[in-house]
Amino acid sequence: MSRSFTVPMVLARNVRKSYGAFEALRGIDLEVGPGQVMCLIGPSGSGKSTFLRCINHLEKISAGLLAVDGDLVGYRRGGDRLYELRDREVCAKRAEIGMVFQRFNLFPHMTAVQNVCLGPVTVKGDDKAAVRERAIALLDRVGLSDKVDSYPTQLSGGQQQRVAIARALAMQPKLMLFDEPTSALDPELVGDVLDVMKGLANDGMTMVVVTHEMGFAREVADSVVFMDAGAVVESGTPEQVLGNPQHERTKAFLAKVL
């Protein structure tokens, strides 16, 4: 499923992130091409979610270089120096990146369609009628055409997560980030969310997914990255990393989860 590309959608070079003396990311080097799916796997606390949050500047990197579609994340280059972008500029860039969290974070007082419409109308200033039409189409795409006017409390966890995916897609992002999107769901609800993500991958959406769903990684990912203690231990195709891991730490982890 490998695809050729010129400018990576995500480029990380020696990315580091520290919280005081604790180094959460220790020199991450990764590339994700347009239309590719990268799955990040590894134990809790290995830095996967931190790296994901750095990609859309929810966390500022401490050192290194991180770029999305050729643009530095959170900074602009002026000669030999980097200048931090203003909040307004960061928000404009972040609007191009969709993110789906473990928790759905829907507004409880808004219906599904209102939740999906909120971002494009308030952040991008898009026409309300056009946004609503697009939102209804997106809810249909994630299998919720009958839940357009339902409130979050009337939806299952899996349905709420699919609303959250539709909400992220409503911003028409160039990149989607998923932070363990099924980990808070009952097991019988996981499949519906993964099916939506598989559909996005088939449509060519660039995705970086932190996941414990090894079957999804094996089926959908172009590349799988195993992280531990803030570093990339092993990376390659799903066949290489999941089917024939070379590093003892990778083997030990997969022995527990496969």
Side-chain angles (χ1 to χ4, degrees), residues 99-113:
M99 186 156 183
V100 178
F101 299 88
Q102 295 179 37
R103 296 291 174 181
F104 330 119
N105 300 324
L106 300 179
F107 290 105
H109 63 289
M110 292 183 174
T111 63
V113 72

Side-chain angles (χ1 to χ4, degrees), residues 5 16 46 52-53 62 70 107 111 118 122 128 132 138 141 167 187 199 223 228 246 251 253 255 257:
F5 59 91
R16 296 178 178 272
S46 58
L52 211 64
R53 292 171 66 85
S62 303
F107 290 105
T111 63
L118 185 63
T122 58
K128 288 183 179 180
R132 181 178 173 83
L138 285 169
R141 180 179 182 180
R167 177 180 58 184
S223 61
D228 189 32
Q246 299 300 302
K251 293 177 183 178
F253 173 77
V257 299

Side-chain angles (χ1 to χ4, degrees), residues 134-210:
R134 193 162 80 230
I136 291 172
L138 285 169
L139 288 169
D140 179 55
R141 180 179 182 180
V142 300
L144 295 174
S145 57
D146 59 334
K147 302 294 184 182
V148 169
D149 294 316
S150 297
Y151 289 91
T153 54
Q154 298 170 310
L155 302 173
S156 71
Q159 289 169 335
Q160 290 187 60
Q161 190 62 294
R162 283 184 278 156
V163 173
I165 293 173
R167 177 180 58 184
L169 292 173
M171 296 293 286
Q172 299 175 307
K174 61 176 69 173
L175 168 67
M176 285 286 287
L177 309 176
F178 292 87
D179 189 3
E180 297 189 35
T182 60
S183 65
L185 302 180
D186 293 332
E188 67 269 23
L189 302 176
V190 168
D192 290 337
V193 173
L194 293 180
D195 285 344
V196 170
M197 294 170 65
K198 290 174 187 176
L200 292 177
N202 289 335
D203 290 344
M205 174 62 74
T206 311
M207 297 160 57
V208 182
V209 184
V210 174

Side-chain angles (χ1 to χ4, degrees), residues 4-201:
S4 61
F5 59 91
T6 49
V7 177
M9 183 59 74
V10 180
L11 174 66
R13 287 288 178 264
N14 195 31
V15 169
R16 296 178 178 272
K17 174 62 183 178
S18 298
Y19 300 95
F22 174 66
E23 200 167 23
L25 298 176
R26 300 186 294 120
I28 303 296
D29 289 302
L30 293 174
E31 284 187 22
V32 185
Q36 291 190 332
V37 178
M38 174 181 283
C39 284
L40 304 178
I41 64 171
S44 297
S46 58
K48 307 182 302 294
S49 295
T50 299
F51 178 65
L52 211 64
R53 292 171 66 85
C54 287
I55 293 175
N56 68 352
H57 208 54
L58 289 174
E59 299 278 0
K60 298 178 184 178
I61 65 174
S62 303
L65 180 148
L66 187 56
V68 171
D69 199 19
D71 294 327
L72 292 174
V73 174
Y75 299 89
R76 61 177 173 83
R77 192 180 298 279
D80 294 330
R81 297 187 61 187
L82 293 181
Y83 297 90
E84 191 164 355
L85 298 179
R86 292 189 288 268
D87 287 345
R88 180 167 48 82
E89 295 171 302
V90 170
C91 288
K93 290 293 184 185
R94 191 179 290 142
E96 300 176 343
I97 303 171
M99 186 156 183
V100 178
F101 299 88
Q102 295 179 37
R103 296 291 174 181
F104 330 119
N105 300 324
L106 300 179
F107 290 105
H109 63 289
M110 292 183 174
T111 63
V113 72
Q114 288 171 336
N115 268 282
V116 176
C117 288
L118 185 63
V121 172
T122 58
V123 177
K124 298 175 72 175
D126 290 352
D127 176 73
K128 288 183 179 180
V131 169
R132 181 178 173 83
E133 186 176 331
R134 193 162 80 230
I136 291 172
L138 285 169
L139 288 169
D140 179 55
R141 180 179 182 180
V142 300
L144 295 174
S145 57
D146 59 334
K147 302 294 184 182
V148 169
D149 294 316
S150 297
Y151 289 91
T153 54
Q154 298 170 310
L155 302 173
S156 71
Q159 289 169 335
Q160 290 187 60
Q161 190 62 294
R162 283 184 278 156
V163 173
I165 293 173
R167 177 180 58 184
L169 292 173
M171 296 293 286
Q172 299 175 307
K174 61 176 69 173
L175 168 67
M176 285 286 287
L177 309 176
F178 292 87
D179 189 3
E180 297 189 35
T182 60
S183 65
L185 302 180
D186 293 332
E188 67 269 23
L189 302 176
V190 168
D192 290 337
V193 173
L194 293 180
D195 285 344
V196 170
M197 294 170 65
K198 290 174 187 176
L200 292 177

